Amino acid sequence: MPVEWSGLGPELPLTLHRDAAEPLRTQLERQLRDAIRDGRLAAGERLPSSRELARELGLSRGLVQDGYAQLQAEGYLDTRV
């Protein structure tokens, strides 16, 4: 059963399939990466906190943090305190 989250607005729905062969973290990273590449997620736009996104998607916070860290390492995300 897919887990959907559209908290960033209708232009950026996230759908994770728990029964897919692709791991949840990989699905999350791919969908966010695609949204950035396609321009659905603009430069400077804020993503939800790892805690908020994890809660909304029913994932562990660590999984979301790891996904965000990978995208940051690839240059897709920039973090600010």
Side-chain angles (χ1 to χ4, degrees):
M1 174 174 194
V3 176
E4 297 184 15
W5 183 72
S6 58
L8 293 177
E11 67 279 359
L12 187 60
L14 298 176
T15 304
L16 303 179
H17 297 275
R18 294 187 182 279
D19 55 351
E22 184 179 37
L24 292 171
R25 177 181 153 190
T26 305
Q27 292 179 54
L28 177 65
E29 291 171 8
R30 179 179 43 77
Q31 290 185 38
L32 288 172
R33 192 180 294 113
D34 289 347
I36 293 167
R37 288 180 181 161
D38 296 346
R40 291 177 285 136
L41 188 58
E45 192 166 353
R46 290 184 61 170
L47 288 174
S49 69
S50 59
R51 182 172 281 128
E52 179 185 350
L53 186 59
R55 187 184 78 248
E56 291 290 331
L57 291 174
L59 302 172
S60 73
R61 183 176 178 213
L63 184 144
V64 175
Q65 287 176 319
D66 289 347
Y68 278 4
Q70 178 61 39
L71 292 172
Q72 183 181 8
E74 293 175 15
Y76 286 100
L77 298 182
D78 183 30
T79 58
R80 297 182 189 150
V81 178

